[in-house]
Amino acid sequence: MKLAEFLAEVRDRGEYRSQEEAEHISTSVLRVLATRITPEEADDLAAQLPAPLDDVLHTHPRRPEALGREEFLRRVADQTGARPRTAEWDASAVLSTVADAVPGGEVDHLLSQLPTGYAELFGRPGPT
């Protein structure tokens, strides 16, 4: 998926006013995600995303942080200046677009590294 397509999808899903806003939200969400996943997983995901979004994932720490869903959303809110509920909306707009942009097996592998509760942000059903 090309950058313009990715951002158009995020913009539609998040109901943002501009492509610039969609890019800011996308970058913020991916930056927080990069702190949560392994460097190898970040590299695999980056290979599937358009530049410059792929570069955001390369700013990951050497060891992922153990962020539960609520802490992840709090950090997204800090990055975007939003309230926690808005951060959930933002994260869902970006991560569900990621799920559509990368092969399903890659998303499944990524979700296997994340705690319960992240699946819904990727537009996937959670555990029943």
Side-chain angles (χ1 to χ4, degrees), residues 1 41 44-45 47-49 97-110 122 124:
M1 182 179 285
E41 188 62 35
D44 289 347
L45 183 58
Q48 304 295 320
L49 296 177
T97 303
V98 167
D100 287 348
V102 303
E106 179 68 31
V107 175
D108 292 341
H109 187 264
L110 177 62
F122 284 84
R124 300 280 177 92

Side-chain angles (χ1 to χ4, degrees), residues 10 16 35 37 49 51 57 66 77 128:
V10 170
Y16 303 117
T35 68
I37 59 179
L49 296 177
L57 292 164
T128 55

Side-chain angles (χ1 to χ4, degrees), residues 49-66:
L49 296 177
L53 297 177
D54 59 338
D55 289 337
V56 175
L57 292 164
H58 293 298
T59 60
H60 47 69
R62 295 296 14 139
R63 289 196 325 211
E65 296 182 55

Side-chain angles (χ1 to χ4, degrees), residues 60-101:
H60 47 69
R62 295 296 14 139
R63 289 196 325 211
E65 296 182 55
L67 301 179
R69 182 175 189 220
E70 294 309 312
E71 179 62 16
F72 175 82
L73 294 174
R74 188 192 67 70
R75 290 189 186 189
V76 168
D78 287 348
Q79 288 279 321
T80 62
R83 294 184 201 148
R85 185 75 178 136
T86 303
E88 182 175 10
W89 176 270
D90 294 339
S92 291
V94 175
L95 297 177
S96 65
T97 303
V98 167
D100 287 348

Side-chain angles (χ1 to χ4, degrees), residues 2-37:
K2 295 183 189 226
L3 179 63
E5 294 172 286
F6 186 94
L7 294 177
E9 193 63 36
V10 170
R11 183 178 177 184
D12 287 346
R13 291 177 188 200
E15 300 176 7
Y16 303 117
R17 291 179 295 255
S18 68
Q19 181 170 326
E20 291 77 23
E21 184 179 12
E23 187 168 6
H24 169 69
I25 297 297
S26 296
T27 300
S28 298
V29 170
L30 292 172
R31 185 174 292 120
V32 177
L33 181 64
T35 68
R36 180 59 189 88
I37 59 179

